[in-house]
């Protein structure tokens, strides 16, 4: 009798589970008028309209300069925040709302075009500037193969004041200064390293204006771990002044290495986290996603925000094979993590690697 009762209870539980799963699977989505999209939450339909505008007219659905710059814009807008000095609204769109002030800051050089493009899209759809910056950054990341799919929450009010100058870390600053600035905004050294995964799809236009579009790793069109490998290769010097200030010569022709990246890859407070991403693409993506989730709502009260993460496209998958660039061997690596040795990596076949610049407007 007890066995029959237990069996009946088990069947009931299974039936309820199957019914609940069927309800999830069969949940109808709402067709979003004027688009090809369907939304699980009808309130997100207007964001699909914004998505189509961004992809068609700003980001071009590719992992190019515009997508890279949109991601850079996310950090530069949000990091204008302090826990100790009580300034800045964080991820509030102040770089667009008060662009006349903030875009004149040296650290924001090169962001004028993307700021103007995003303002146009936001105004056309009646969206706030804080929300449009976060959406564009998440969509830009999704345009890159191998990237994680970031969340998107909507509901940021427009900024009421500009962020002060000096909140964005500069590539020629010492590690102590950079870590202190990030700590003041609420980020640990490990979270800073995670955010720097963005450099796997980054290129510099203004660090050295004579060589625009210079990537920070050899695979700027994919979200892989090569940035963390190639910054560990032996480099040359710190130019202190002039057009190349902040740049450390990379051993790869056509690649730029920032002084700050070079130093953080070798500092005892960050080197082991840096190295942990070398062969662990999934770990890098997860830590990057977590840090970006935090950055996206910095300084914001998220009560009442609308989760429209369903709007973000699914990035193409990428089979990652971490490797040393062609022409390099383990002897060219400058390991810095005292706790564990640098992993053994295969070397790409062929002649010495030459890195191509990211085409403008791509």
């Amino acid at each position: 009798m007890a066995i029959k009762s237990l069996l009946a209870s088990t069947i009931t539980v299974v039936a309820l589970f199957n019914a609940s799963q069927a309800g999830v699977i069969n949940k109808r989505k709402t067709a979003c008028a004027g688009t090809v999209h369907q939304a699980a939450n009808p309130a997100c339909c207007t964001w699909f309209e914004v998505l189509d505008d961004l992809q068609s007219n700003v980001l071009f659905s590719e992992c190019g300069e515009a997508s890279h710059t949109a991601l850079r814009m996310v950090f530069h807008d949000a990091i204008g925040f302090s826990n100790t000095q009580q300034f800045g609204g964080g991820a509030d769109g102040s770089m667009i709302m008060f662009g006349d002030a903030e875009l004149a800051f040296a650290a924001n050089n090169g962001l004028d075009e993307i700021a103007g493009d995003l303002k146009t899209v936001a105004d056309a759809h009646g969206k706030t500037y804080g929300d449009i910056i976060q959406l564009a950054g998440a969509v830009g990341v999704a345009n890159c193969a191998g990237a994680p799919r970031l969340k998107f929450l909507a509901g940021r009010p427009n900024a009421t004041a500009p962020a002060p100058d000096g909140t964005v870390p500069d590539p020629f600053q010492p590690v102590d200064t950079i870590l202190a600035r990030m700590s003041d905004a609420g980020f640990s050294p490990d979270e800073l390293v995670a955010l720097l995964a963005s450099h796997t799809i980054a290129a510099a236009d203004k660090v050295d204006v004579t060589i625009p579009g210079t990537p920070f790793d050899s695979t700027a069109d994919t979200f892989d771990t090569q940035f963390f490998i190639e910054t560990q290769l032996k480099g040359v010097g710190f130019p202190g002044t002039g057009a190349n200030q902040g740049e450390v010569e990379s051993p790869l022709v056509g690649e730029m290495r920032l002084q700050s990246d070079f130093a953080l890859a070798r500092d005892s407070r960050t080197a082991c986290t840096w190295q942990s991403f070398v062969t662990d693409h999934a770990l890098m993506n997860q830590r990057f996603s977590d840090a970006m989730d935090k950055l996206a709502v910095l300084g914001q009260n998220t009560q009442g925000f609308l989760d429209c993460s369903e709007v973000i496209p699914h990035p193409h998958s990428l089979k990652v094979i971490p490797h040393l660039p062609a022409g390099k061997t383990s002897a060219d690596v400058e390991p810095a993590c005292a706790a564990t040795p640098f992993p053994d990596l295969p070397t790409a076949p062929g002649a010495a690697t030459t890195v191509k610049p990211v085409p403008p407007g791509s």
Side-chain angles (χ1 to χ4, degrees):
M1 186 69 177
I3 294 176
K4 289 183 178 179
S5 177
L6 178 60
L7 180 60
S9 298
T10 301
I11 292 172
T12 300
V13 170
V14 170
L16 288 172
F17 175 78
N18 288 339
S20 67
Q21 289 300 100
V24 171
I25 293 172
N26 295 325
K27 184 178 179 180
R28 298 175 67 88
K29 289 189 174 184
T30 299
C32 295
T35 78
V36 298
H37 304 287
Q38 295 181 323
N41 186 342
C44 294
C45 275
T46 60
W47 285 107
F48 278 110
E49 297 172 16
V50 182
L51 169 69
D52 290 344
D53 196 349
L54 279 173
Q55 292 285 57
S56 295
N57 301 308
V58 179
L59 305 178
F60 311 115
S61 299
E62 63 183 15
C63 188
E65 182 185 35
S67 288
H68 302 170
T69 311
L71 176 56
R72 181 183 173 217
M73 185 82 165
V74 169
F75 178 75
H76 284 236
D77 180 61
I79 204 63
F81 177 82
S82 170
N83 281 308
T84 61
Q85 301 181 52
Q86 301 301 312
F87 64 68
D92 63 356
S94 63
M95 283 194 66
I96 297 177
M97 178 66 76
F98 299 97
D100 289 347
E102 292 194 35
L103 293 171
F105 300 161
N108 296 333
N109 195 3
L111 289 172
D112 307 62
E113 183 176 355
I114 192 70
D117 289 343
L118 296 184
K119 183 180 188 302
T120 298
V121 173
D123 290 347
H125 296 273
K127 303 301 185 183
T128 67
Y129 300 143
D131 281 351
I132 197 66
I133 288 173
Q134 293 303 320
L135 178 70
V139 174
V141 169
N143 285 338
C144 301
R149 188 176 184 232
L150 301 180
K151 295 178 183 177
F152 172 62
L153 304 180
R156 297 164 188 79
N158 270 323
T160 57
D165 196 2
T167 61
V168 181
D170 284 324
F172 52 85
Q173 289 176 328
V175 170
D176 286 349
T177 302
I178 294 172
L179 292 183
R181 170 78 276 271
M182 294 301 295
S183 177
D184 184 38
F187 291 86
S188 69
D190 286 347
E191 288 173 322
L192 169 60
V193 175
L195 288 172
L196 286 172
S198 61
H199 284 187
T200 189
I201 54 168
D205 285 327
K206 303 298 182 180
V207 175
D208 184 344
V209 296
T210 66
I211 48 172
T214 306
F216 296 154
D217 79 358
S218 59
T219 54
D221 59 345
T222 55
F223 205 95
D224 58 19
T225 66
Q226 285 304 120
F227 166 72
F228 291 101
I229 296 170
E230 292 166 20
T231 47
Q232 217 68 63
L233 297 174
K234 295 175 183 177
V236 182
F238 289 169
T241 60
N244 296 333
Q245 185 177 14
E247 180 184 350
V248 181
E249 184 178 343
S250 170
L252 303 184
V253 176
E255 179 178 285
M256 179 177 290
R257 180 183 295 172
L258 298 180
Q259 174 180 322
S260 53
D261 290 341
F262 179 94
L264 285 162
R266 290 157 177 77
D267 190 277
S268 60
R269 293 162 289 187
T270 48
C272 289
T273 300
W274 198 282
Q275 183 176 292
S276 71
F277 296 154
V278 164
T279 58
D280 199 332
H281 183 249
L283 176 66
M284 179 190 75
N285 276 8
Q286 184 59 60
R287 296 287 175 82
F288 175 72
S289 294
D290 292 344
M292 287 295 291
D293 288 348
K294 182 174 177 178
L295 185 71
V297 295
L298 190 63
Q300 299 296 304
N301 178 357
T302 60
Q303 186 174 3
F305 274 26
L306 178 66
D307 188 345
C308 287
S309 300
E310 62 177 309
V311 173
I312 307 303
H314 289 270
H316 291 296
S317 61
L318 178 71
K319 185 177 181 181
V320 176
I321 304 176
H323 61 273
L324 294 170
K328 299 298 177 183
T329 70
S330 58
D332 296 301
V333 174
E334 190 171 38
C337 176
T340 56
F342 195 84
D344 290 327
L345 299 174
T347 295
T353 299
T354 298
V355 183
K356 296 180 180 180
V358 174
S362 66

